Amino acid sequence: MTQAAAFATSLVEQFIQKIEQKTAVIGVVGLGYVGLPLAVEKAKAGFNVIGFDVQASKVEMVNQGINYIGDVVDDDLREIVERKKLRATSDYSFINEVDAVAICVPTPLDTYQQPDTSYVESSAREVAKYLHPGMLVVLESTTYPGTTEELLKPILEESGLVCGKEFFLAYSPERVDPGNKQFNTKNTPKVVGGVTPDCTKVAASMYRAVLDSDVHEVSSPAVAELEKIYENTFRHINIALANEMAILCNKMGINVWEMIDAAKTKPYGFMAFYPGPGLGGHCIPIDPFYLTWKAREYNYHTRLIELAGEINRSMPEFVTERAANLLNQDGKPLKGSTIHLLGVAYKKDIDDIRESPVLHIIDILEERGAHVVYSDPHVLSFKRHGKEYESVDLTEETLKKADLVVITTDHTAFDYDFIGRTAYAVLDTRNALKNAVKPKRYEIL
């Protein structure tokens, strides 16, 4: 064994020993929907954790034990902060103190539907300044295949350290489903792919010490990067199929939800996906387009993915047309009518409005002269295009004042029998009134 190989082996053994003895200090860069739950789970597992974020407000809230993420239990955060197992900072020099760091920063698309890796790059450069021998760096942000090895590795090696020999680098995609009551950060299986076998080994050892789930090792970061995009592309395409069926079923006079429920009685070869007003969130509307962008490098056009995107992006317009048609049944124009939207979050029982299709529905309705109000118990206010919106109480007065109520997010907190009894006309994009009282005018998507 060469001296370099022996040194690398020694660093692997030292890292795993620190993990097993819970003496390793773990850093998490980015304290958002992915990073904060991960930091909390690592601290709960017995590790000392340092969270890094450029937003001073998040740093202050974490250090005060104040939770701002729905998937984190308030008492868990408060307890680990009081026990000094978790602290937050905007000072990246504290990377000097950590044995491993997970990068969990946003990877949005730019105006040209191309990946914006600026947050990943800036985080990597900050880490590189304080990278030290034996340290593990894991990227968790969703991105295109090749990012870890083509982008992160060269930046980190500017430190003078060699990947796989003096420091370890891996990719392990986040699997966060906000509001999911069954699966969370701790019990969702983890995929890990390192630049070298040693990189995979040390990264997997860290996750196995933290999670109550399987850690699945793959041969490279690129495999792990692609499988994450494939997961979300699978959903993206199947939701597009459900949305297209909704459009067709409307023309045919068939209940799309009844049809899908019938199809899912087949015990094999079918998985139920349902239509809606469009796609939202930080993953499904965005991730597939990392792949379409990367595919161009190989002179390949991902036609199915892009067509699915067109269908899903068209749904807010379809909902608006359906609203106009429903108003027309009573001789009312869309212009000047009051439209009451129930829910602006992109999915039920969460406060996340990122990429929410409801925002686009609001834009279209207002462009066409409608007066829009909304109710959402999870999103009390928001700002869009410089305009402030505030949730109104869901009362008999507000429902009766509306010319049309549109159920855009099926929050559990809504009293659907009350809505059905009180509202005159309802367009239900979520099949929320399936088992509730129906109003005089009622249509599903």
Side-chain angles (χ1 to χ4, degrees):
M1 181 182 293
T2 65
Q3 186 176 359
F7 180 65
T9 300
S10 173
L11 290 178
V12 171
E13 293 172 349
Q14 289 173 29
F15 184 91
I16 292 176
Q17 185 178 50
K18 286 182 178 181
I19 291 294
E20 290 174 347
Q21 296 176 352
K22 302 290 177 73
T23 58
V25 178
I26 301 177
V28 176
V29 177
L31 297 175
Y33 285 87
V34 176
L36 185 60
L38 183 64
V40 168
E41 291 302 335
K42 288 177 176 180
K44 285 170 62 180
F47 294 98
N48 288 327
V49 179
I50 304 175
F52 299 86
D53 203 286
V54 295
Q55 294 186 37
S57 58
K58 287 183 179 179
V59 169
E60 184 177 353
M61 290 178 75
V62 169
N63 287 333
Q64 291 179 2
I66 300 172
N67 182 34
Y68 50 87
I69 298 294
D71 289 345
V72 172
V73 177
D74 293 353
D75 289 343
D76 286 350
L77 178 61
R78 190 179 307 111
E79 180 186 353
I80 58 178
V81 169
E82 289 175 353
R83 290 171 48 215
K84 302 188 184 307
K85 301 301 291 183
L86 171 63
R87 59 191 170 98
T89 180
S90 296
D91 184 354
Y92 279 85
S93 69
F94 285 100
I95 293 289
N96 275 320
E97 298 183 12
V98 307
D99 299 287
V101 63
I103 298 175
C104 309
V105 295
T107 46
L109 296 174
D110 64 19
T111 55
Y112 302 102
Q113 295 288 86
Q114 296 179 351
D116 177 0
T117 59
S118 58
Y119 299 102
V120 171
E121 291 182 54
S122 60
S123 298
R125 294 194 186 283
E126 290 294 336
V127 170
K129 293 177 185 177
Y130 309 102
L131 193 67
H132 48 83
M135 185 173 157
L136 166 67
V137 180
V138 181
L139 178 62
E140 291 216 4
S141 306
T142 304
T143 186
Y144 60 86
T147 303
T148 303
E149 292 171 279
E150 297 168 9
L151 183 66
L152 256 70
K153 182 174 175 285
I155 291 174
L156 295 173
E157 287 188 331
E158 288 175 7
S159 65
L161 301 179
V162 179
C163 180
K165 296 181 179 180
E166 296 167 295
F167 75 94
F168 308 106
L169 176 62
Y171 181 78
S172 182
E174 57 89 0
R175 282 174 164 170
V176 174
D177 185 17
N180 193 315
K181 303 301 182 185
Q182 181 179 2
F183 292 105
N184 51 45
T185 299
K186 191 169 182 64
N187 67 4
T188 300
K190 207 83 167 77
V191 173
V192 177
V195 174
T196 67
D198 280 346
C199 292
T200 302
K201 184 177 181 179
V202 297
S205 73
M206 178 185 68
Y207 287 112
R208 289 191 175 105
V210 172
L211 307 178
D212 289 339
S213 60
D214 177 52
V215 175
H216 183 81
E217 299 178 18
V218 294
S219 60
S220 69
V223 172
E225 289 160 342
L226 183 54
E227 79 77 20
K228 168 61 178 178
I229 295 179
Y230 182 66
E231 290 176 24
N232 288 336
T233 301
F234 173 83
R235 295 171 68 188
H236 173 75
I237 290 172
N238 280 281
I239 291 170
L241 176 61
N243 282 332
E244 189 162 61
M245 287 298 102
I247 295 170
L248 182 59
C249 283
N250 174 248
K251 294 180 181 295
M252 292 181 166
I254 295 172
N255 184 316
V256 66
W257 273 277
E258 182 184 6
M259 180 274 291
I260 294 172
D261 284 345
K264 77 176 184 180
T265 61
K266 184 179 180 181
Y268 55 89
F270 181 81
M271 179 180 292
F273 287 82
Y274 293 95
L279 286 182
H282 65 296
C283 287
I284 302 177
I286 295 174
D287 297 354
F289 294 99
Y290 299 149
L291 191 55
T292 63
W293 175 82
K294 186 66 175 178
R296 295 185 200 122
E297 184 179 318
Y298 300 90
N299 196 30
Y300 186 78
H301 182 57
T302 52
R303 292 165 291 174
L304 183 60
I305 296 173
E306 294 181 34
L307 179 58
E310 289 179 22
I311 294 169
N312 289 329
R313 286 193 299 271
S314 74
M315 292 309 290
E317 186 74 38
F318 177 66
V319 170
T320 305
E321 289 300 323
R322 293 293 310 283
N325 291 339
L326 193 51
L327 286 167
N328 283 341
Q329 293 179 26
D330 290 311
K332 296 179 179 179
L334 185 58
K335 184 175 182 179
S337 292
T338 296
I339 311 297
H340 191 152
L341 303 180
L342 301 188
V344 293
Y346 80 86
K347 64 181 288 191
K348 68 188 294 183
D349 300 341
I350 66 170
D351 63 358
D352 194 346
I353 65 171
R354 289 177 297 171
E355 306 295 328
S356 174
V358 187
L359 303 180
H360 299 291
I361 292 172
I362 291 173
D363 290 344
I364 299 168
L365 287 171
E366 291 187 337
E367 285 172 6
R368 298 187 184 180
H371 173 59
V372 179
V373 297
Y374 86 94
S375 297
D376 193 317
H378 301 280
V379 184
L380 300 183
S381 65
F382 68 94
K383 182 183 287 187
R384 183 165 176 81
H385 304 316
K387 181 179 177 180
E388 294 279 355
Y389 294 83
E390 291 189 4
S391 176
V392 301
D393 292 335
L394 196 59
T395 64
E396 182 175 355
E397 180 184 3
T398 56
L399 284 173
K400 287 186 172 179
K401 189 180 293 185
D403 294 292
L404 176 64
V405 173
V406 184
I407 300 174
T408 39
T409 314
D410 51 336
H411 290 310
T412 303
F414 289 141
D415 184 340
Y416 293 107
D417 280 322
F418 171 71
I419 293 165
R421 284 194 308 269
T422 310
Y424 172 74
V426 173
L427 174 59
D428 187 353
T429 73
R430 300 288 190 175
N431 204 28
L433 297 189
K434 176 182 179 181
N435 299 314
V437 175
K438 307 295 191 297
K440 182 175 181 179
R441 294 272 190 227
Y442 176 70
E443 290 189 9
I444 57 171
L445 185 66

